[in-house]
Amino acid sequence: MARPLRITVVTVLGFLLSTLVDLGFDTESRLGLDTLFKIRGTQTPPEQVVIVAMDEASETRLGVGQDLTRWREFHAKLLDQLNRQGASLIVFDLQFIASNPSVDPMLADAMRAAGKVLINECVQKFRRGVEDFYGREECSDRNKMPAISREGEPATSLSEQLVVMRKLSPIPAIAQAALDSAPFYLINDSENNPIRESWTFYDALAEAPSLPVLAWFYYQQASSDNPDEQPLSVWLTAQRRTCVNSPKLDNRAKKLICEGDSRYLNYYGPPRTLRMESYADVYEGKVEDLQGKVVFVGRANRQFSPGKSDFFPTPYSDSHTGKMAGVEIMATQFANLLENSFIEIPAAGWLVSSVFGLLIALLLVSFTGWPGIVLSLVFASAYAGSAVCLFGQHHWWLPVAGPLFMQLPLSWLLSLAWSRYDLMCERGRILEFVSRVFPQWVGMLPAAPGQWTETANAGIARSEKDVSGLCLATDIEGYTTIAAQHSPREMWELLNTYYQVLGHPVVSHDGVIADVTGDAMMAVWFDAPVSNQRRAACLAALEMAAAVASFNLSSSQEALATSIGLHEGELTLGSLDAGTSSHYRAIGDTVNTASRIQGVNKYLGTRILASHSIAADLDDIVSRPVGTFRVVGRTEPVTLVEIVGLKHGSDTQPNEVHRIFADGLAAFQQGLWTEAARLFQAALAIDANDGPSHFYLQKTLAYCELAPLEWDGIFVLDGK
């Protein structure tokens, strides 16, 4: 599958999964937003907001119990206390639906005298007539009645889909005495669902403003000393309906009135984070420092009491903190208006999720396997950190649950599946190539279990083949000593891993593993242009040396020092019968010479040696001559070069050590022992670990004392 298509598939599937799960389970709010609140922790609320809690202690001290109408005889004195201390605005989260003739006139007089009291209006919500009813506090059962009845069929229930809302005003005496009134109705009907957002205007109630919004506008009007003739609740409703640009409104007010009907609440912490004073303490004059404060009066237990009504879960709710009273939520919304600190969504969630998924897909497709997973994890961590930081500093809510817990794992699964698919395709191509000539060599390669069987390969021809090719031989220095220190099982496990590391570069550069015996491996290249064979073999040798070095670093066993030799010539590839079994091998002088060249490494202290013709025309391979040798079992001398590495960019300057060594080698081959010794010492002064310089310096110093009788520049090796 092409890369652009894979990127598209990862992005689209991840986005669809996160969207569908969020639609079904509201994960972005439950897991995302709530987690962001808890990571951020509590924040300092504005000092202008104070809650006067009608709590358990006040119920006991004042002897009022649960009947809200009995509290009214104390509200008048409470208003006097608040007014005397200079409270800027007093907001009752009470609805005053039922009358109490004995105390209502006194309360009305106190409200009228204060001139800054706002009260709550009851909102009732009906579904299916009277069968499903909801209303806060004093919207009691005695006010329950069908909101709509059909003429002639008064007992007929309404359709289940029909939802009706209506507003019940306070009793006239209280309503006329208050400065103004507005409803405060929470978005969630159930007291078991967390409250995350709150209405600013109620479109279902003729565009009426919510009580916190009304309080904020009155607070702003009082601050600017700009009173209006009509009640602000009526004026705000008119403004909401028309959204006319009024010169009295700043941009914040215009946005609040004309854009949307709800806001996500920015909670400052768990219940009782806002300043909360006991009703009885304020009533008795024990609380000071209320000058200029906006005071919210309502039912709010100071200790968590699960049996109480009008308490709701918030993102901070748990078994320790409990639920939050409705009056605290109202005060929180007002505080957010005061500080302009609602939780904002800076960009559409689908857009952020799409961009996140696209970047993750780019990383996973560009860097296949574990590197891509690690990079995507780093990016996802950076995104999560940014989301937490933006939430804490700017109150911006970026989606985190969908991207991190759905899009990211799904992208990982798809990436790993595709990596496995690509690996199987590559193995299939390798197996197909090898099977055309040597089907039994398939067992040498890391094929998938069950893909190749002895039965499946039995019918393939097993004839020998003469080719002109290149042979690569490897050996482990000191293998006998290492093997003596371990059990056969331990050596098998070590070599099994070692040969997987050693064989991969051969296969990746189109070579064929011809033989593995003990500590030695033989690989061949054939049926390709000579220059291609040479270059592929040199690259494979360099990668093998690097892979073995990494393997030795990660292994807890002894290091397996591997030497490599390369030679080219005529080969015979075919089957050798031994008893009842057959084994494919590469046979010929080329194979033996490659093995002997490999053995020269231990004399020169090198890792990769090759006959000089192999690297002669390879411009991107760095090599250097190391002399001419007559190896054991071969009469013809072989001129060798060390394969050093790859050339990088335009850097064609010869290595200084290599240049000095080449001059020393030329002097050595001419029999100029003193000059050769000086040059080899100069090379070692630059690189004390240069193996060929060490070897030739020792030989030169020996020849200075006793020169060979006949010297043709060829060094004769008397061992493998």
Side-chain angles (χ1 to χ4, degrees):
M1 188 180 295
R3 287 179 58 183
L5 182 57
R6 290 187 179 187
I7 293 172
T8 302
V9 169
V10 171
T11 304
V12 172
L13 287 182
F15 170 74
L16 290 177
L17 175 66
S18 63
T19 301
L20 291 175
V21 173
D22 185 49
L23 290 175
F25 301 97
D26 194 22
T27 54
E28 205 54 64
S29 294
R30 295 176 183 272
L31 189 58
L33 181 59
D34 293 2
T35 301
L36 288 173
F37 270 116
K38 291 174 181 176
I39 293 175
R40 185 197 70 180
T42 59
Q43 290 191 327
T44 303
E47 61 180 10
Q48 298 96 316
V49 180
V50 177
I51 297 173
V52 174
M54 299 164 59
D55 55 8
E56 299 96 334
S58 299
E59 290 176 0
T60 303
R61 285 159 62 182
L62 301 179
V64 292
Q66 294 292 312
D67 188 353
L68 291 177
T69 61
R70 296 181 59 187
W71 286 81
R72 294 186 193 174
E73 60 183 288
F74 303 99
H75 291 340
K77 184 178 177 181
L78 178 74
L79 290 173
D80 291 339
Q81 286 283 0
L82 295 173
N83 197 34
R84 188 162 48 250
Q85 292 202 41
S88 177
L89 198 64
I90 303 166
V91 183
F92 275 97
D93 186 27
L94 301 171
Q95 296 150 349
F96 303 105
I97 299 297
S99 63
N100 188 343
S102 62
V103 296
D104 287 346
M106 180 176 60
L107 176 58
D109 291 340
M111 286 183 174
R112 203 173 287 110
K116 46 189 167 188
V117 179
L118 302 178
I119 58 177
N120 199 353
E121 294 179 333
C122 173
V123 174
Q124 290 182 319
K125 184 174 182 179
F126 295 87
R127 283 194 297 264
R128 294 180 297 166
V130 298
E131 299 175 35
D132 190 1
F133 163 83
Y134 174 77
R136 291 183 64 217
E137 296 180 348
E138 291 182 278
C139 294
S140 56
D141 287 344
R142 60 175 171 270
N143 293 301
K144 186 194 308 183
M145 63 183 66
I148 299 177
S149 60
R150 298 178 181 177
E151 185 177 353
E153 298 179 285
T156 302
S157 298
L158 300 176
S159 168
E160 184 174 354
Q161 288 76 28
L162 182 59
V163 177
V164 177
M165 294 178 65
R166 69 178 178 187
K167 182 171 64 173
L168 297 178
S169 299
I171 59 175
I174 301 296
Q176 294 168 9
L179 176 63
D180 209 339
S181 63
F184 181 66
Y185 172 80
L186 296 175
I187 286 182
N188 289 340
D189 297 329
S190 172
E191 294 188 358
N192 294 320
N193 292 325
I195 302 296
R196 299 185 181 89
E197 53 183 322
S198 183
W199 299 112
T200 53
F201 283 86
Y202 300 100
D203 294 344
L205 296 173
E207 313 290 355
S210 70
L211 186 53
V213 170
L214 180 64
W216 182 73
F217 271 97
Y218 270 110
Y219 184 77
Q220 296 295 102
Q221 184 187 67
S223 299
S224 60
D225 195 22
N226 184 30
D228 207 312
E229 295 181 359
Q230 60 181 335
L232 270 179
S233 59
V234 177
W235 180 82
L236 285 172
T237 297
Q239 293 293 316
R240 172 75 176 178
R241 290 173 178 173
T242 60
C243 279
V244 177
N245 289 328
S246 172
K248 297 182 180 180
L249 296 176
D250 57 19
N251 290 332
R252 278 187 61 194
K254 291 176 184 177
K255 182 177 180 180
L256 180 63
I257 292 174
C258 298
E259 295 183 11
D261 57 1
S262 67
R263 295 289 189 276
Y264 281 98
L265 293 170
N266 182 16
Y267 287 99
Y268 297 93
R272 299 180 297 279
T273 299
L274 294 169
R275 179 184 173 187
M276 185 179 292
E277 303 290 349
S278 176
Y279 185 105
D281 289 342
V282 178
Y283 176 82
E284 295 168 359
K286 297 178 180 179
V287 177
E288 299 179 352
D289 187 25
L290 297 176
Q291 177 72 33
K293 301 296 190 288
V294 179
V295 178
F296 290 83
V297 182
R299 299 177 66 186
N301 297 334
R302 294 175 64 84
Q303 295 180 350
F304 176 51
S305 180
K308 301 289 185 179
S309 62
D310 199 38
F311 281 76
F312 305 89
T314 70
Y316 286 102
S317 293
D318 55 34
S319 58
H320 176 70
T321 62
K323 301 178 181 180
M324 182 174 283
V327 67
E328 288 185 89
I329 298 176
M330 177 190 292
T332 298
Q333 184 178 1
F334 176 83
N336 290 169
L337 286 164
L338 202 61
E339 296 187 323
N340 193 24
S341 61
F342 286 108
I343 299 301
E344 301 288 347
I345 301 176
W350 65 267
L351 178 61
V352 176
S353 296
S354 298
V355 173
F356 177 89
L358 177 61
L359 293 176
I360 290 293
L362 284 171
L363 289 173
L364 292 174
V365 174
S366 301
F367 302 92
T368 57
W370 289 109
I373 290 178
V374 171
L375 288 174
S376 65
L377 182 59
V378 171
F379 169 74
S381 300
Y383 172 81
S386 299
V388 171
C389 181
L390 290 173
F391 187 82
Q393 294 184 3
H394 302 287
H395 319 302
W396 288 358
W397 174 21
L398 295 178
V400 290
L404 297 180
F405 300 119
M406 280 162 277
Q407 288 180 271
L408 185 61
L410 178 63
S411 300
W412 285 348
L413 289 175
L414 291 174
S415 173
L416 291 175
W418 274 323
S419 295
R420 178 65 177 171
Y421 171 77
D422 292 340
L423 180 61
M424 295 303 296
C425 290
E426 181 64 23
R427 287 175 174 173
R429 286 191 292 269
I430 294 171
L431 290 169
E432 181 182 1
F433 169 76
V434 176
S435 67
R436 288 200 301 266
V437 182
F438 307 113
Q440 289 194 3
W441 291 355
V442 172
M444 298 287 187
L445 303 177
Q451 186 171 354
W452 291 86
T453 63
E454 184 177 353
T455 303
N457 300 324
I460 302 177
R462 300 181 178 181
S463 60
E464 66 277 1
K465 183 177 183 178
D466 295 329
V467 298
S468 178
L470 189 151
C471 185
L472 179 151
T474 74
D475 188 71
I476 300 175
E477 295 181 15
Y479 173 76
T480 302
T481 302
I482 296 173
Q485 300 173 0
H486 297 277
S487 68
R489 168 59 63 178
E490 290 173 338
M491 287 305 300
W492 183 90
E493 293 176 352
L494 177 63
L495 290 179
N496 185 53
T497 307
Y498 167 78
Y499 279 122
Q500 290 183 33
V501 171
L502 206 63
H504 180 73
V506 174
V507 175
S508 64
H509 289 286
D510 299 324
V512 174
I513 300 174
D515 191 16
V516 175
T517 305
D519 62 329
M521 186 182 80
M522 192 72 65
V524 293
W525 281 260
F526 57 93
D527 286 348
V530 174
S531 60
N532 291 357
Q533 291 179 175
R534 292 172 175 174
R535 186 175 186 279
C538 288
L539 292 176
L542 290 169
E543 290 183 15
M544 290 168 74
V548 170
S550 298
F551 169 79
N552 288 334
L553 288 175
S554 62
S555 175
S556 60
Q557 305 294 338
E558 291 86 349
L560 301 181
T562 301
S563 56
I564 302 170
L566 299 170
H567 189 60
E568 60 183 352
E570 300 301 318
L571 300 167
T572 296
L573 305 173
S575 174
L576 294 178
D577 295 329
T580 59
S581 61
S582 296
H583 305 273
Y584 273 80
R585 292 290 185 270
I587 306 298
D589 180 63
T590 301
V591 177
N592 296 333
T593 303
S595 179
R596 294 295 183 264
I597 291 174
Q598 170 275 127
V600 180
N601 282 287
K602 70 179 178 180
Y603 292 98
L604 298 182
T606 52
R607 283 285 171 256
I608 307 173
L609 293 176
S611 51
H612 75 284
S613 62
I614 290 178
D617 299 323
L618 300 179
D619 296 334
D620 58 341
I621 301 295
V622 178
S623 63
R624 63 161 170 172
V626 291
T628 302
F629 298 84
R630 186 174 284 110
V631 296
V632 175
R634 181 182 172 91
T635 58
E636 292 296 323
V638 56
T639 301
L640 302 181
V641 296
E642 179 188 8
I643 305 300
V644 179
L646 291 173
K647 289 182 180 178
H648 299 287
S650 59
D651 183 15
T652 59
Q653 295 298 320
N655 182 286
E656 184 66 12
V657 174
H658 295 177
R659 184 188 65 77
I660 297 173
F661 172 81
D663 293 340
L665 179 61
F668 178 84
Q669 291 175 333
Q670 295 173 23
L672 305 176
W673 315 122
T674 302
E675 177 65 11
R678 183 187 66 80
L679 290 168
F680 292 139
Q681 287 172 341
L684 289 171
I686 299 175
D687 183 1
N689 297 317
D690 186 50
S693 296
H694 268 294
F695 172 78
Y696 278 101
L697 178 60
Q698 292 176 0
K699 297 301 178 184
T700 302
L701 293 176
Y703 289 169
C704 285
E705 296 181 3
L706 182 62
L709 297 177
E710 296 181 5
W711 178 248
D712 57 1
I714 300 174
F715 193 88
V716 179
L717 296 176
D718 54 3
K720 295 182 180 179

